[in-house]
Amino acid sequence: MKFYNLNEHKEKKNFSQVLQQGLGTNQGLFFPEYLPKLNNKTIENILNLNFIDKSSYILSLFLKKEIKLKILKKKIKKAFNFPLILNFFNTNLACLELFHGPTLAFKDFGVRFMAQMIEFFNKKKQNKIIILTATSGDTGAAVAHAFYNIKNIEIVILYPYKKISILQEKLFCTLGNNIKTIAIEGNFDDCQNLIKQSFNDQELKQNLNLNSANSINISRLIAQICYYFEAFSQIPLDQRGKKIIISVPSGNFGNLTAGLMAKVIGLPINKFIAATNINDTIPRYLHTGCWKPKKTISTLSNAMDVSIPNNWPRIKEIFKINNWDLNLLESKSITDLETKKTIINVFNKYKSILEPHTAVSFCALKKYILEKDTFNIFLGTAHPAKFKDYIYDILHKKIILPKILVNCIKKENLSYKLPNNFLVLKNFLIKNYII
Ligand SMILES: *Cc1c(COP(=O)(O)O)cnc(C)c1O
């Protein structure tokens, strides 16, 4: 299948090209040339497969011309090598726990699939690829673990010195081998600027095969379609006749885009709720029709502190090509106070601990449910252990840390520390990667 540029419809590329390129000309996002529509019988058959077979089937709809099914399945097995759990709170309310991967957040799905695909398509060329990326915490960890020990790929991750938590730092700065991490004396914007300068530098461009592991990469998006199908499979048969409602905690809206694609393909989901924190550009847009992004505000659910969601053009495209009314999309903006109250109430009522992003998705769902006879899912995007200090403050509960965190806390931080200076970074790259 080809993918077209939403800003330049004539620009069409294969998956392998789009995977490498990330963005198209004129900063356009790529989008599948068509979204396959499956009949009920086929959907039923897919739902009966295990998660790996199901994912292989779904992704082969997009990739079958470029990768043999058998190889695709092998890659998916490596990428999705952790469980996915629909955790029931009561008979018609459940959390889809997407946070059991190596870095305890749902981004593991998309990034690990992207890493496997980059490895596969690079194998034929045997080029050394250098992936240069900046992180304010979580994405860096997902990228580092996904590409760890992958042949011919070197990873360089910049992050702001002393501006991320020690736990976050240990999760990706202790790996070594092909993963280099650099603490920059500056803030996250400085890190992003250094990356931009590197991509624009002629000497680096000519000598290094630089690549980004950007969140807008189409490979990350299509990987996320798979878990919506898996969630549906885990709904008990006697509940499946009900209206299915899914609440998605959203920042850049990649997760929701994947959910809507699953619906187009044929998964019977009745309603999606776009749950945001007070960075509410989309809820305001849907309620008033005015597109007016405001300055980004820091919140408890910091991975969703986004005021210009970069996947929104893809969501608009999905509604346009299906002739859907944007009113079909529900949206709620949740304050930090509501988030905190939700964490406390959910603990008291269900004895479950939610972290802030998941609490936003729960709270939006609760605000929406008006109808009877629904089956309600809220997405859990991060493990509560990642927010253990905050949770201790409000619930006075200690969280048992998952093994992966316990292990890396003991390891040495291997990061370099550099000033916020492009020439110093450039020299670092030349010294390490140009032989
Ligand atoms: C990135 C992230 C989100 C938001 O996902 P989008 O696809 O950007 O909307 C939500 N929760 C957590 C924990 C995240 O890391």
Side-chain angles (χ1 to χ4, degrees):
M1 178 186 298
K2 298 242 190 230
F3 295 82
Y4 64 93
N5 177 338
L6 288 179
N7 287 350
E8 303 275 347
H9 281 219
K10 275 179 282 170
E11 185 183 355
K12 284 186 190 170
K13 303 241 158 116
N14 288 335
F15 176 73
S16 63
Q17 293 168 306
V18 172
L19 174 73
Q20 254 203 3
Q21 197 177 327
L23 274 177
T25 48
N26 197 3
Q27 303 293 306
L29 299 171
F30 284 106
F31 194 85
E33 194 171 32
Y34 61 94
L35 287 168
K37 293 198 169 93
L38 306 177
N39 61 33
N40 293 347
K41 184 79 196 127
T42 313
I43 296 281
E44 209 170 290
N45 290 340
I46 297 174
L47 291 174
N48 286 329
L49 301 171
N50 66 44
F51 183 45
I52 299 300
D53 289 341
K54 194 182 272 143
S55 305
S56 307
Y57 186 94
I58 294 161
L59 291 168
S60 77
L61 297 170
F62 298 92
L63 307 180
K64 60 184 160 220
K65 284 227 170 96
E66 292 174 74
I67 313 179
K68 288 201 178 83
L69 184 62
K70 215 170 126 195
I71 298 171
L72 182 62
K73 197 181 278 188
K74 247 168 72 186
K75 298 286 168 194
I76 289 172
K77 213 169 170 177
K78 276 194 189 164
F80 300 166
N81 63 347
F82 50 91
L84 171 59
I85 300 162
L86 193 61
N87 181 9
F88 286 82
F89 279 44
N90 61 38
T91 49
N92 68 346
L93 174 67
C95 177
L96 180 64
E97 295 184 354
L98 299 170
F99 50 72
H100 298 290
T103 72
L104 307 176
F106 87 99
K107 296 212 169 60
D108 282 327
F109 284 97
V111 178
R112 291 177 70 78
F113 180 67
M114 173 170 69
Q116 291 300 320
M117 291 300 100
I118 291 181
E119 182 192 31
F120 173 74
F121 286 105
N122 190 48
K123 222 170 221 161
K124 297 176 189 160
K125 297 184 230 137
Q126 290 290 336
N127 283 338
K128 197 171 206 86
I129 295 179
I130 298 178
I131 291 181
L132 187 57
T133 184
T135 184
S136 53
D138 289 341
T139 316
V143 169
H145 282 263
F147 286 94
Y148 183 53
N149 282 340
I150 286 193
K151 234 180 114 197
N152 279 324
I153 300 182
E154 297 284 335
I155 305 291
V156 181
I157 302 172
L158 311 190
Y159 65 98
Y161 179 61
K162 289 214 164 145
K163 292 216 169 62
I164 70 175
S165 79
I166 294 190
L167 210 65
Q168 278 181 322
E169 198 173 11
K170 288 274 182 173
L171 201 47
F172 71 100
C173 302
T174 54
L175 290 167
N177 288 356
N178 63 330
I179 313 293
K180 285 195 174 47
T181 52
I182 307 177
I184 297 288
E185 292 173 284
N187 58 30
F188 177 58
D189 288 335
D190 296 326
C191 296
Q192 282 198 308
N193 274 331
L194 289 172
I195 303 270
K196 261 193 211 144
Q197 283 176 279
S198 310
F199 280 106
N200 288 332
D201 185 272
Q202 285 309 318
E203 193 185 350
L204 290 180
K205 231 189 210 167
Q206 276 163 18
N207 291 289
L208 293 177
N209 190 3
L210 282 181
N211 210 310
S212 76
N214 221 307
S215 69
I216 47 77
N217 200 292
I218 194 81
S219 61
R220 286 175 60 168
L221 208 65
I222 59 175
Q224 292 175 206
I225 298 172
C226 304
Y227 54 66
Y228 285 93
F229 279 83
E230 178 61 19
F232 200 96
S233 301
Q234 292 186 26
I235 299 175
L237 287 174
D238 66 340
Q239 299 288 322
R240 283 191 201 173
K242 294 183 173 173
K243 285 185 180 166
I244 311 287
I245 297 175
I246 302 187
S247 176
V248 185
S250 299
N252 272 319
F253 282 73
N255 208 348
L256 183 63
T257 308
L260 290 165
M261 286 180 167
K263 182 177 164 76
V264 177
I265 293 173
L267 193 65
I269 297 166
N270 288 81
K271 193 84 167 173
F272 282 99
I273 302 170
T276 71
N277 57 34
I278 51 166
N279 294 290
D280 62 347
T281 307
I282 298 303
R284 272 187 298 114
Y285 174 68
L286 292 176
H287 296 144
T288 68
C290 286
W291 181 263
K292 273 202 181 134
K294 295 181 186 164
K295 199 167 181 278
T296 309
I297 299 165
S298 298
T299 72
L300 291 170
S301 47
N302 59 326
M304 297 166 13
D305 292 348
V306 179
S307 47
I308 304 181
N310 57 23
N311 275 298
W312 188 251
R314 286 179 170 142
I315 291 189
K316 272 203 326 214
E317 188 74 357
I318 293 173
F319 276 82
K320 196 177 96 193
I321 57 187
N322 289 287
N323 281 321
W324 290 348
D325 185 345
L326 262 180
N327 287 321
L328 287 176
L329 188 59
E330 191 59 45
S331 70
K332 299 273 178 221
S333 154
I334 306 298
T335 64
D336 272 359
L337 184 62
E338 290 173 307
T339 306
K340 180 179 166 185
K341 280 188 182 157
T342 300
I343 295 173
I344 294 169
N345 292 342
V346 165
F347 182 71
N348 289 338
K349 186 160 179 196
Y350 301 102
K351 297 288 162 260
S352 275
I353 297 179
L354 306 183
E355 55 74 43
H357 305 81
T358 308
V360 166
S361 108
F362 181 94
C363 186
L365 180 64
K366 278 288 166 186
K367 278 191 169 186
Y368 170 71
I369 303 175
L370 305 164
E371 306 163 70
K372 286 207 175 86
D373 265 350
T374 54
F375 186 87
N376 310 290
I377 296 176
F378 59 103
L379 301 194
T381 46
H383 194 292
K386 291 188 112 173
F387 295 83
K388 65 180 179 48
D389 295 339
Y390 176 70
I391 283 162
Y392 187 79
D393 285 348
I394 62 169
L395 297 179
H396 313 292
K397 273 277 166 200
K398 281 208 168 130
I399 295 176
I400 302 161
L401 294 187
K403 232 196 198 144
I404 172 128
L405 277 186
V406 178
N407 288 344
C408 71
I409 284 170
K410 289 181 274 188
K411 289 195 210 154
E412 187 196 349
N413 184 340
L414 302 169
S415 285
Y416 300 82
K417 189 176 148 209
L418 296 182
N420 175 21
N421 179 315
F422 174 62
L423 288 180
V424 177
L425 175 68
K426 183 174 170 176
N427 277 333
F428 178 93
L429 294 173
I430 291 174
K431 203 174 77 201
N432 280 285
Y433 300 113
I434 301 180
I435 316 144

